[in-house]
């Protein structure tokens, strides 16, 4: 695996490959790599000749400075993981390379960034939109891969690509879970053993709610039961638990005629905030 530190290095290495009709897949990450990232790499390798992983902890998508500072950074381990994978290039830029100056641009995603993650983390999707645009412009991949765990981010990025006519296909890869159902996330590294044990309540509540919904129980009654589950777990603080349309993120009170519906949740365990979601019909 080759490490590329600057836009210029990316350009000179990848242009030759593009000229030789090689397809390029990009897996953007913020490091602290886990099996979920490796799943993105595995799928990328199936669909692209060349796989580029980027690691950049993007300051502009953190609405909270402490969260940015505490974001897990495990570069040595990440390099070891990537060296043992099928990744061809790692793009490891400095902050100055990505942000030579503070962006003046701000992106308004309309309704999509006003609810759930958008409303609890103001400015977060603006930062995601800017950095993803930059990565797409620098790497110019044919396909970019994102995890389904960040479902609202996926919806935002699909709209970004559509509205700005980026010449890239967005592939979404299913969430990888631990044996107890807990979704893999870099932030899990910040959980102490007690919080980790408590945190399985998120996936438990999501899968419980999904099966009750499919059995025909009304959503409002399910949500009441989920609130009670969370109230009985002292470490957990539920932030939201919503039934939504998966692509457009409209909040629903029943499944109705919708074809693509998900339940999204966010909760704190001590000071660690986790998100997860399940799709209802697959
Ligand atoms: O999902 C992430 O890790 C980040 O939001 C991303 C897409 C790499 C942008 O910084």
């Amino acid at each position: 695996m080759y490490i590329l530190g600057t836009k210029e290095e990316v350009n000179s290495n990848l242009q030759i490959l593009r000229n030789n009709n090689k397809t390029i897949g990009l897996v953007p990450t913020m490091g602290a790599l886990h099996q979920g990232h490796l799943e993105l790499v595995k799928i990328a390798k199936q669909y692209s000749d060349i796989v580029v992983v980027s690691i950049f902890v993007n300051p502009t998508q953190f609405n909270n400075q402490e969260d940015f500072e505490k974001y897990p950074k495990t570069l040595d381990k990440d390099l070891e993981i990537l060296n043992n994978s099928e990744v061809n290039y790692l793009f490891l830029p400095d902050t100055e390379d990505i942000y030579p100056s503070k962006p003046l641009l701000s992106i308004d995603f309309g309704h999509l960034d006003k609810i759930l993650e958008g409303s609890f983390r103001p400015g977060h999707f603006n930062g995601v939109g800017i950095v993803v645009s930059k990565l797409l412009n620098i790497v110019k991949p044919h396909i970019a891969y994102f995890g389904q765990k960040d479902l609202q981010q996926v919806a935002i990025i699909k709209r970004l690509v559509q509205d700005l006519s980026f010449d890239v296909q967005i592939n979404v890869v299913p969430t990888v879970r631990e044996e107890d159902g807990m979704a893999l996330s870099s932030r899990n590294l910040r959980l102490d053993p007690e919080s980790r044990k408590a945190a399985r309540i998120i996936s438990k509540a999501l899968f419980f709610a999904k099966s009750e919904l499919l059995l025909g129980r009304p959503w409002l009654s399910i949500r009441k039961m989920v609130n009670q589950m969370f109230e009985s777990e002292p470490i957990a603080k539920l932030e939201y638990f919503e039934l939504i349309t998966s692509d457009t993120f409209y909040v629903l009170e029943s499944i109705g005629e919708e074809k693509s519906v998900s339940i999204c949740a966010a909760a704190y365990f001590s000071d660690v905030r986790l998100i997860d979601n399940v799709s209802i019909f697959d």
Side-chain angles (χ1 to χ4, degrees):
M1 181 185 73
Y2 295 98
I3 301 181
L4 309 171
T6 62
K7 304 194 256 291
E8 291 72 24
E9 280 174 20
V10 172
N11 207 29
S12 58
N13 279 271
L14 299 190
Q15 192 53 45
I16 306 164
L17 297 165
R18 254 181 245 110
N19 291 346
N20 285 323
N21 294 325
K22 299 282 184 211
T23 53
I24 296 168
L26 171 65
V27 178
T29 82
M30 297 207 297
L33 301 179
H34 50 68
Q35 202 54 42
H37 295 112
L38 288 182
E39 188 64 17
L40 295 172
V41 167
K42 192 178 111 193
I43 305 288
K45 200 66 203 174
Q46 285 169 16
Y47 292 95
S48 313
D49 300 319
I50 303 294
V51 177
V52 181
V53 167
S54 63
I55 296 184
F56 179 65
V57 185
N58 173 36
T60 66
Q61 71 185 75
F62 289 83
N63 56 313
N64 170 332
Q65 184 62 18
E66 194 188 336
D67 189 29
F68 174 57
E69 279 156 18
K70 287 189 172 169
Y71 197 83
K73 291 164 194 87
T74 58
L75 186 58
D76 288 344
K77 193 168 158 245
D78 292 350
L79 290 175
E80 199 183 312
I81 292 176
L82 292 176
N83 273 318
N84 288 319
S85 74
E86 293 187 285
V87 172
N88 303 93
Y89 293 94
L90 167 63
F91 179 38
L92 191 61
D94 286 339
T95 307
E96 293 69 41
D97 205 56
I98 297 291
Y99 293 112
S101 55
K102 194 168 178 278
L104 292 177
L105 176 72
S106 79
I107 313 176
D108 184 345
F109 289 96
H111 156 80
L112 266 184
D113 71 2
K114 307 289 180 294
I115 56 157
L116 307 193
E117 289 305 283
S119 83
F120 284 100
R121 301 185 69 192
H124 168 63
F125 287 128
N126 177 54
V128 170
I130 287 179
V131 80
V132 170
S133 302
K134 283 172 177 274
L135 292 169
L136 293 178
N137 279 329
I138 294 169
V139 177
K140 300 183 197 71
H142 298 86
I143 312 179
Y145 298 84
F146 295 90
Q148 192 181 336
K149 193 187 79 73
D150 296 305
L151 192 68
Q152 197 169 359
Q153 169 170 281
V154 166
I156 289 272
I157 290 169
K158 283 184 174 168
R159 276 314 296 242
L160 179 82
V161 164
Q162 183 182 320
D163 289 358
L164 294 180
S165 306
F166 277 105
D167 193 9
V168 66
Q169 181 184 317
I170 300 300
N171 279 11
V172 182
V173 177
T175 304
V176 179
R177 296 183 180 279
E178 299 210 28
E179 253 177 43
D180 66 356
M182 172 99 160
L184 294 192
S185 161
S186 303
R187 286 176 200 274
N188 294 355
L189 287 177
R190 291 193 50 220
L191 295 168
D192 60 40
E194 205 186 352
S195 302
R196 167 62 188 87
K197 204 165 152 212
R200 66 181 293 261
I201 193 176
I202 298 200
S203 56
K204 202 171 144 200
L206 285 168
F207 287 108
F208 164 78
K210 172 176 172 167
S211 66
E212 289 296 308
L213 203 55
L214 291 173
L215 286 172
R217 190 186 282 274
W219 173 246
L220 293 182
S221 126
I222 296 172
R223 214 167 55 174
K224 213 164 145 197
M225 291 162 86
V226 166
N227 282 336
Q228 281 163 0
M229 277 169 81
F230 273 87
E231 274 158 23
S232 68
E233 177 50 78
I235 295 180
K237 191 173 149 277
L238 183 63
E239 200 165 56
Y240 63 74
F241 196 89
E242 297 287 355
L243 184 66
I244 51 102
T245 52
S246 311
D247 301 319
T248 45
F249 269 75
Y250 285 107
V251 172
L252 302 170
E253 293 209 342
S254 66
I255 319 179
E257 302 285 289
E258 297 292 340
K259 292 196 172 50
S260 184
V261 177
S262 299
I263 309 170
C264 293
Y268 276 95
F269 299 88
S270 306
D271 67 335
V272 184
R273 184 177 184 278
L274 300 177
I275 59 171
D276 195 0
N277 66 81
V278 286
S279 167
I280 301 303
F281 298 118
D282 48 56

